[in-house]
Amino acid sequence: MDWTLTRASLGGIVGRLGFCLLLLGGAFPAHAAPSLEFKPLATDSGKRFATVWRVRGDVTASTRDGANSRKLSEGDAVFVGERLRAAQQAEAVLKTEDAGAIAIRPSTEFVAERFAAEDKPTDSFTMRLLTGSLRVISGWIARTNRSGHTIVTASATIGIRGTDHEPYVLSAELARATNNPAGTYDKVNRGGTTMEVGENKLDIDPGKVGFVRASSGVRERALMTILLPVLLDKVPSFYVPGEFDAELDRYSATADQDSLQQLELKRKAPAAPKAAACVPTTIAKTWLKQLDGAIARNDAPTIIAMFADDAAVRATVRDKDGKMTSIDLGREELVQSTLAAMKSLKGYKQRRVWTEGKSADLSPGAGCDRINLRSVVVEQGRLADKPYRFESLEEYLLEKRAGKWLAIKAETTQQ
């Protein structure tokens, strides 16, 4: 069959070609869609590290490039690698998986870059504060691996000593408005922190504020002394209580004991049987069986629900001249294309030649929260009353979210 490469026909390919040839609507542009590079993800990327406890106003989470933004509501999960933003009048409080808390102040942006709370010496929590302020009440990671709990800014690294503190990155614009120097500030409410610039360290005790001036890019040795961390004589006026600070004060008062109690409960919880918990190929085949069954039933809602909201999808097909052409899709296109495809798909049959699944986390003792799935499939049927037959290689990155396996990346290539 001669397939003309329009989005309508390519959708048919995506709705079931390789990973359920999505059948898109609209014309495929004369030039190829921009290539979407699927760069290797960090070990912790995509792992849930906190849940929204309180929120007021527009607080969003997005991929680091700003795509796939979602507005956060109470009870939502937030994940390592997401860029969190609070609007000018917005605030939120997150409860971390190690029983800590993070208050996001107005006009703040930050990214959780690493998180592991497994009661191991390798437990860690690294946040990159881009601008604005947080109030951080540390959880049990501060006990299992104190040196692994850090906040990184453009001018300093902040370590903790069992802490309730408020790091603040004051931008040049806000610095001019408040008549304060731009840079990184850290106010300690309880416990202690350490500000580091290279090999220079400054311990900050309760009631004190540390400061590191924003670097101007100058590297002359004579000027480096102005970039060293110092203690301020008083708390700057831009430090003001947040909407939820009264609740946070009460939370902080017992945070150490509560986090240790939760850690003890974690230690006493029965361990999941490893043999049953992590068999990647079995998980992969089960997921594909559900997908294939939904396609055979023309069950569009089930197909859509198997892909994460931030899923990235690519289909590569051969045009009538034999040239391979790729198209990248977001989940909204996936939704619309799948709905359209299911209306015209008839007589669908498929046979999987082989399937394999491997854990995407290769670290020692890793579980199966993320799985790389590969499968070769032969499929045929009638689409818009035209017969088709394809053999394709399907590749998925599956992630377990809230107990359910979802595809966060999918790629299909016509063979």
Side-chain angles (χ1 to χ4, degrees), residues 24-230:
L24 311 177
F28 188 82
H31 59 280
S35 175
L36 177 60
E37 292 294 331
F38 291 112
K39 296 180 179 179
L41 298 173
T43 302
D44 297 332
S45 186
K47 178 190 295 184
R48 183 171 71 179
F49 77 93
T51 303
V52 180
W53 182 41
R54 297 284 185 267
V55 66
R56 174 178 65 85
D58 289 337
V59 180
T60 60
S62 66
T63 52
R64 297 192 72 163
D65 59 3
N68 302 312
S69 179
R70 59 192 176 96
K71 184 178 179 180
L72 295 178
S73 302
E74 291 183 5
D76 285 351
V78 288
F79 303 92
V80 173
E82 289 188 308
R83 182 187 293 258
L84 301 182
R85 294 184 177 93
Q88 190 172 7
Q89 301 297 325
E91 296 183 57
V93 178
L94 312 179
K95 289 284 190 70
T96 61
E97 295 293 292
D98 69 332
I102 302 170
I104 309 172
R105 307 301 201 190
S107 302
T108 292
E109 295 186 27
F110 84 99
V111 177
E113 295 191 331
R114 286 194 62 82
F115 185 85
E118 301 168 352
D119 189 23
K120 297 178 180 179
T122 54
D123 284 358
S124 63
F125 192 11
T126 300
M127 291 176 280
R128 185 170 298 275
L129 180 57
L130 305 172
T131 188
S133 180
L134 303 171
R135 180 175 176 181
V136 180
I137 300 172
S138 58
W140 77 60
I141 292 175
R143 284 87 193 164
T144 55
N145 183 18
R146 179 177 295 176
S147 63
H149 197 302
T150 57
I151 296 175
V152 180
T153 75
S155 57
T157 297
I158 302 172
I160 58 96
R161 293 180 280 148
T163 301
D164 175 352
H165 68 124
E166 300 180 50
Y168 203 129
V169 172
L170 194 68
S171 66
E173 180 181 4
L174 189 55
R176 288 190 295 269
T178 61
N179 196 29
N180 287 283
T184 299
Y185 296 77
D186 192 42
K187 179 169 75 76
V188 174
N189 302 319
R190 178 179 57 80
T193 63
T194 300
M195 297 188 81
E196 300 182 19
V197 179
E199 297 181 356
N200 300 284
K201 298 182 180 181
L202 174 70
D203 289 337
I204 309 169
D205 296 323
K208 300 296 183 179
V209 179
F211 169 66
V212 175
R213 187 179 298 271
S215 173
S216 62
V218 177
R219 288 294 181 267
E220 285 83 354
R221 183 177 299 275
L223 297 180
M224 287 302 292
T225 54
I226 69 172
L227 302 179
L228 300 181
V230 297

Side-chain angles (χ1 to χ4, degrees), residues 383-400:
L383 195 61
D385 290 327
K386 295 182 179 181
Y388 72 89
R389 184 181 186 279
F390 289 110
E391 179 177 333
S392 57
L393 170 65
E394 300 178 356
E395 298 177 89
Y396 303 86
L397 177 58
L398 305 182
E399 181 174 275
K400 196 171 187 179

Side-chain angles (χ1 to χ4, degrees), residues 365-388:
C368 277
D369 288 336
R370 294 162 68 87
I371 289 175
N372 287 317
L373 186 164
R374 301 177 77 242
S375 182
V376 170
V377 62
V378 178
E379 52 202 341
Q380 64 185 46
R382 297 185 67 85
L383 195 61
D385 290 327
K386 295 182 179 181
Y388 72 89

